[in-house]
Amino acid sequence: PPHEKEGPYNFATPSTMKPTQIECARGGLNQIPPWTTVSGDVRLTPFYDPVDVMERVEGYVNDINANLGCLGTRGPCSKYTLEGDDVDVREGKLEITWNDDRESVRQMEGIACDLDSPGLAALVTATEEVKGSAKPYAITGSLPLVRSMQRVGFDVQITGFGLSKTYHADNEYVLLSDMRDAFRILMRVIEINDER
């Protein structure tokens, strides 16, 4: 569910868990594959503990496996347990694996920047001066160790100056004019902080 703290940060997207790749054993079109792998991506707003989310998802998987007979089906031919002498796999099973261990996940936690910090104020002011306006917003994602830096007192701000529609896209690119503006904004941020 959306966290009540997401509103003030203007999150472009909420926390999500989405499938991004699906593969299965190859066979005939009239065969149910003995296994299917669904891989995906979990993105959390920084108000959720990622290790807690991992543990909860693992609990849901265990609960599903313990209660396969309670899952909804679509008629008498749709079921998760099979009988018969010619059946290789008799019961469905859900498994979850994570690409990272819990310590690695902790090092990649997202952050919520301090909305009242001098760093954010300087960044907004500098952006308004160079670009004419500034509309801060947040997205889910992470960078190594930034949450750890924030926890020990750094005023961490994360910003980007490229075209968001090309982030992570094939042939990702940036305009030189945006990088020129970025340089001017960052120089102004330094000036503003030096004046304090």
Side-chain angles (χ1 to χ4, degrees):
H3 196 283
E4 65 271 4
K5 292 183 180 178
E6 290 176 15
Y9 285 87
N10 296 320
F11 270 89
T13 59
S15 298
T16 60
M17 180 176 181
K18 56 194 169 296
T20 56
Q21 297 176 356
I22 299 175
E23 68 174 304
C24 66
R26 298 287 295 176
L29 292 177
N30 64 339
Q31 293 176 308
I32 297 173
W35 60 267
T36 301
T37 299
V38 178
S39 299
D41 183 47
V42 176
R43 299 287 175 121
L44 298 174
T45 59
F47 312 111
Y48 294 97
D49 181 324
V51 172
D52 180 53
V53 169
M54 291 171 77
E55 291 169 355
R56 285 178 184 243
V57 169
E58 289 165 358
Y60 301 146
V61 168
N62 292 337
D63 184 56
I64 289 169
N65 285 324
N67 298 289
L68 281 175
C70 295
L71 294 176
T73 60
R74 300 182 63 93
C77 296
S78 172
K79 50 191 167 185
Y80 301 100
T81 57
L82 301 174
E83 299 172 4
D85 296 332
D86 61 342
V87 176
D88 292 332
V89 179
R90 298 200 176 275
E91 186 171 77
K93 181 179 180 184
L94 182 61
E95 296 177 354
I96 186 151
T97 57
W98 305 99
N99 284 347
D100 295 307
D101 61 34
R102 282 155 169 70
E103 181 57 34
S104 298
V105 167
R106 283 270 179 245
Q107 293 176 12
M108 292 294 290
E109 284 183 85
I111 66 166
C113 300
D114 179 357
L115 295 177
D116 298 319
S117 78
L120 179 60
L123 186 58
V124 169
T125 298
T127 302
E128 288 172 341
E129 290 175 6
V130 172
K131 301 291 264 182
S133 67
K135 295 181 179 133
Y137 67 96
I139 58 174
T140 55
S142 58
L143 293 169
L145 305 175
V146 292
R147 183 75 171 255
S148 298
M149 292 172 63
Q150 187 184 49
R151 282 186 178 124
V152 297
F154 285 91
D155 180 6
V156 178
Q157 305 300 318
I158 299 174
T159 189
F161 300 101
L163 301 169
S164 61
K165 67 182 180 183
T166 67
Y167 293 169
H168 302 296
D170 291 338
N171 300 318
E172 184 173 355
Y173 65 93
V174 64
L175 300 176
L176 289 176
S177 59
D178 288 337
M179 291 300 97
R180 182 191 65 232
D181 287 347
F183 182 77
R184 291 172 56 208
I185 290 168
L186 294 176
M187 290 300 296
R188 184 65 182 124
V189 166
I190 293 169
E191 289 174 359
I192 291 169
N193 283 311
D194 279 348
E195 292 167 2
R196 291 181 187 189

